[in-house]
Amino acid sequence: MNGDAALSTPAPRTIGVMPVMSIVLTGLASAAIIVAMPGLLAGMATHIGLTDSQIALITSSEMGGTTATTLFVAAWLSRLDRRKAAFVGLLLILSVNLLSAYATTFTTLIVARFIAGLAAGALQGILSASIAATPIPDRIFAIYLTANLTATTAMLALLSRLNAIGQPQWLFMTVVMLAVLAILLLRWLPAGVTAHRPTDAEGAKPARGYGLSALLGTFVLLIGVGLTWPLVGVLGLDRAMSGEAVARALSFATVGGIAASVLVSAMGDRVGRRLPISAGATGLCVAVLIFILDGGQASFTAGAFVFMFCWVLILPYCAGLVATLDPSGRLSVLWVTMQFAGLATGPIIAAELLLSSADLPFYASLLCFGIAAALTLFAERGSRSTPDILENRSS
């Protein structure tokens, strides 16, 4: 009887401002610079004497380190003191970004960025587990996405100014400042499973198949994104758009991502997860069809906006889904790994498909989005049935 009462007691639906700020700053310190990194390394190429091959190696080493440590965090999450681990990760982020700002050789920079990747992967894993520990994971992840996209936009704007004065490496100092702020607020980082939610031991068995479906859905979704998004800039140039026009269109698309994350931040899961996931997957397919079938410049801008809006719309609900399936946070950490793995796999497949046809990667992404929606919606069904299963077991 007591077990039934505990399971049927609704979880509180609010979270304090300070825990949210701690989550957001920890995430920004570890991931906000990722999108700006290609432009940053290109700007540093003359200063340090980097070749295109060395730039690719630096980027690959950082992403490799990030993926590796998310797997480590997933395996050891139950044994980690999350705040202490986050403190070590933030100290590393602070130190290696200082080192990166003053690096004068390729060797120094690649070592610094590899260590930054290791720290970022650990922090992203802890961040996801902390979001899973909140009573409103969909909304909190959307708030983090809003902050991340806004910070990325600001960093890109700052990078253009720093490039103009020949000092792009000073962008690393913004990460140092974010890490300092995150350390100051670290005491508020959510560090355990939320009360009134089923524990990992209770929830793992019925949720296991659904959890795998959620992870595979995210992996396939991000493969689809990786098949399409890296080619969008080239697609614009093929339509006789100038580089400046393509940049403006992609900047406008970023606004679409911010709009989607703000919408989810305000709406949360009031309409459930099935509708926004279905709408997001449909919108991604519509955007890809626009890229394939319409050669106009205005349609290119609209397609990029819709693509980014729907991509960002889906992610918070996927984050909330895996948090519901496994409140311990382990599944949420693996979910981060699936994102990195999908984004890395998509471009590799695209490169092979481009040997046959310029449109083939876009058609392949349509297939990916359909499969991802089916897998994720199946997992969403499981997230709604799991509490009933648990309640029946305890009666």
Side-chain angles (χ1 to χ4, degrees), residues 208-249:
R208 187 173 298 158
Y210 295 119
L212 178 61
S213 181
L215 292 179
L216 287 175
T218 298
F219 177 61
V220 176
L221 173 71
L222 272 298
I223 287 177
V225 171
L227 281 165
T228 305
W229 192 248
L231 302 176
V232 168
V234 177
L235 195 66
L237 295 176
D238 289 343
R239 298 184 182 200
M241 296 175 68
S242 67
E244 186 180 350
V246 171
R248 280 199 303 268

Side-chain angles (χ1 to χ4, degrees), residues 134-172:
T134 69
I136 44 173
D138 310 69
R139 183 173 293 176
I140 299 304
F141 188 78
I143 291 171
Y144 162 61
L145 269 183
T146 304
N148 199 2
L149 288 169
T150 304
T152 295
T153 304
M155 282 184 169
L156 288 170
L158 179 59
L159 179 59
S160 66
R161 292 178 178 272
L162 291 172
N163 277 330
I165 62 172
Q167 298 293 334
Q169 67 272 23
W170 292 111
L171 190 67
F172 289 120

Side-chain angles (χ1 to χ4, degrees), residues 5 16 92 117 142 152 161 183 266 272 274 276 279 335 353:
L92 281 174
T152 295
R161 292 178 178 272
I183 289 171
R274 182 174 291 270
W335 179 72
L353 295 177

Side-chain angles (χ1 to χ4, degrees), residues 12 61 114 170 183 197 223 258 269 285 295-296 328 332 356-357 367:
S61 69
F114 177 69
W170 292 111
I183 289 171
R197 293 178 66 178
I223 287 177
I258 294 173
D269 58 359
C285 291
S328 76
S332 295
S356 301
S357 167
L367 180 63

Side-chain angles (χ1 to χ4, degrees), residues 258-324:
I258 294 173
S261 58
V262 169
L263 176 64
V264 181
S265 300
M267 186 171 62
D269 58 359
R270 291 178 198 167
V271 297
R273 298 188 179 108
R274 182 174 291 270
L275 177 60
I277 289 172
S278 301
T282 303
L284 285 169
C285 291
V286 169
V288 172
L289 287 173
I290 291 173
F291 291 146
I292 296 171
L293 302 176
D294 194 318
Q297 296 186 8
S299 64
F300 171 81
T301 302
F305 182 92
V306 172
F307 191 95
M308 181 65 78
F309 180 92
C310 294
W311 171 14
V312 175
L313 178 68
I314 291 176
L315 283 182
Y317 290 106
C318 291
L321 173 60
V322 295
T324 302

Side-chain angles (χ1 to χ4, degrees), residues 75-164:
W76 290 82
L77 186 63
S78 61
R79 306 180 190 183
L80 284 176
D81 183 314
R82 295 181 192 177
R83 288 176 185 155
K84 288 181 180 177
F87 178 71
V88 173
L90 287 167
L91 279 182
L92 281 174
I93 287 286
L94 190 157
S95 303
V96 296
N97 278 282
L98 274 174
L99 181 60
S100 299
Y102 288 98
T104 56
T105 65
F106 163 72
T107 303
T108 303
L109 190 57
I110 194 171
V111 169
R113 297 326 299 168
F114 177 69
I115 296 172
L118 293 174
L123 287 170
Q124 284 292 300
I126 292 166
L127 167 76
S128 296
S130 296
I131 291 175
T134 69
I136 44 173
D138 310 69
R139 183 173 293 176
I140 299 304
F141 188 78
I143 291 171
Y144 162 61
L145 269 183
T146 304
N148 199 2
L149 288 169
T150 304
T152 295
T153 304
M155 282 184 169
L156 288 170
L158 179 59
L159 179 59
S160 66
R161 292 178 178 272
L162 291 172
N163 277 330

